[in-house]
Amino acid sequence: MHRAPLPHRVFLHGAGRRGTTAWPSQDPESGTFLSFPQDSNIEAQARSLVEGERDRTPLVFAHSIGAVTAVRAVADGLRSPALSSSSPPCTTSPAVKLRSSGISRW
């Protein structure tokens, strides 16, 4: 069976730890681990995400307040991974797939 390559993965931290330390169970080589300054605002973080991923279509993993940055980035033009014919339909949004460990329901 032929599988499509996995999209580039981007990890957005919450309000606590940053970068790879915010995602201790992930291999540091498994994607891009963003680290925003503590005093940066959500708009600046979203803009940085959109600009940094301009030529790619990332799969974004966000924790806690990082999910707000991810949603804002989608509104600002971040592209989402193309769904293959074997993929289930995206139920959160046609523009992005989010997985946040801090939210139990929407």
Side-chain angles (χ1 to χ4, degrees):
M1 170 171 33
H2 179 270
R3 291 187 177 192
L6 292 175
H8 177 73
R9 297 192 299 173
V10 175
F11 296 86
L12 295 175
H13 58 81
R17 297 179 287 177
R18 290 165 167 58
T20 56
T21 61
W23 300 90
S25 63
Q26 296 297 318
D27 177 358
E29 302 298 318
S30 65
T32 299
F33 294 80
L34 300 180
S35 182
F36 296 114
Q38 193 167 8
D39 62 346
S40 65
N41 63 42
I42 289 173
E43 290 80 14
Q45 293 173 8
R47 191 169 39 255
S48 175
L49 176 56
V50 171
E51 291 170 5
E53 298 298 321
R54 183 176 314 277
D55 296 328
R56 293 189 274 208
T57 304
L59 178 59
V60 177
F61 295 85
H63 174 73
S64 188
I65 193 69
V68 176
T69 298
V71 170
R72 177 63 191 250
V74 169
D76 290 348
L78 183 68
R79 295 181 298 171
S80 67
L83 297 175
S84 70
S85 59
S86 63
S87 298
C90 181
T91 59
T92 56
S93 164
V96 70
K97 292 180 183 180
L98 291 176
R99 182 172 134 181
S100 175
S101 59
I103 299 173
S104 60
R105 61 179 206 165
W106 293 86

